[in-house]
């Protein structure tokens, strides 16, 4: 939900500058919600991905932790920067090498971790075809600097996998 709120600020903010769009309350709240959601997901991940190799679960957790850092940065630091600078200064900060480097761990870990999860989760039977496909697609999209597109795909993939797992378990008990 937080990622979708963030995406809505991009879609709705056509006339706004980048600085002004980061000050929209829906984006700030969306980033905060994404932060909390990622913390819960990281906490629950080992219990959900039973049967997947530990290194894959650890890498997925690390990728999500770096994504969590970005969502928290968007909910706090970016708001502070946007509220105290002008549009040109904000654009210069946003295009700097230092800020761009913040996305590298999320992107690289996301690609490797979610691709591994899609492959090994499918092989172990933890993920169904649809969940693995969405997570695999999310792995590729995780290369994009903003977090929402990849996180939305991975989240939907995990949701599909969880629903399929619950259905499979309920039929196994019959």
């Amino acid at each position: 939900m937080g990622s979708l709120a963030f995406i809505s600020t991009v879609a709705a903010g056509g006339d706004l500058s980048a600085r002004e769009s980061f000050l929209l309350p829906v984006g700030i709240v969306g980033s905060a919600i994404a932060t909390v959601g990622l913390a819960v997901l990281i906490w629950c991940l080992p219990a959900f991905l039973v049967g997947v190799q530990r290194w894959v679960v650890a890498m997925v957790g690390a990728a999500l932790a770096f994504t969590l850092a970005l969502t928290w940065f968007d909910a706090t630091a970016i708001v502070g920067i946007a509220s105290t600078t002008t549009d040109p200064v904000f654009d210069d900060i946003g295009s700097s090498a230092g800020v761009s480097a913040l996305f590298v761990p999320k992107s690289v870990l996301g690609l490797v971790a979610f691709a591994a999860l899609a492959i090994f989760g499918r092989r172990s039977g933890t993920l169904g075809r649809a969940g693995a496909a969405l997570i695999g697609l999310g792995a590729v999209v995780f290369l994009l600097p903003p977090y929402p597109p990849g996180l939305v795909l991975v989240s939907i993939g995990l949701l599909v996998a969880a629903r399929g797992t619950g259905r499979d378990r309920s039929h196994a008990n019959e």
Side-chain angles (χ1 to χ4, degrees):
M1 294 306 295
S3 293
L4 294 176
F6 184 91
I7 290 169
S8 75
T9 64
V10 175
D15 295 341
L16 300 176
S17 67
R19 184 187 68 80
E20 293 168 329
S21 67
F22 275 102
L23 292 172
L24 290 174
V26 70
I28 297 168
V29 172
S31 292
I33 290 170
T35 301
V36 171
L38 283 164
V40 170
L41 181 58
I42 292 167
W43 180 266
C44 298
L45 206 58
F48 174 67
L49 295 177
V50 175
V52 177
Q53 285 97 349
R54 287 185 189 180
W55 69 268
V56 174
V57 176
M59 290 219 19
V60 168
L64 292 174
F66 276 103
T67 307
L68 181 148
L70 290 173
T71 60
W72 183 246
F73 185 77
D74 281 352
T76 58
I78 287 288
V79 174
I81 294 167
S83 63
T84 58
T85 61
T86 62
D87 287 342
V89 172
F90 185 82
D91 292 341
D92 286 343
I93 292 169
S95 62
S96 70
V99 171
S100 298
L102 293 173
F103 296 102
V104 173
K106 177 222 50 115
S107 298
V108 173
L109 277 171
L111 172 66
V112 174
F114 294 119
L117 177 59
I119 293 165
F120 292 110
R122 181 71 184 126
R123 285 185 181 172
S124 70
T126 304
L127 300 176
R129 262 192 205 121
L134 286 166
I135 292 169
L137 182 59
V140 175
V141 176
F142 238 79
L143 286 171
L144 298 173
Y147 69 88
L151 190 56
V152 167
L153 286 169
V154 167
S155 298
I156 293 171
L158 289 171
L159 179 64
V160 167
R163 292 183 57 84
T165 302
R167 190 170 46 249
D168 294 343
R169 287 184 185 156
S170 66
H171 290 302
N173 293 331
E174 293 176 354

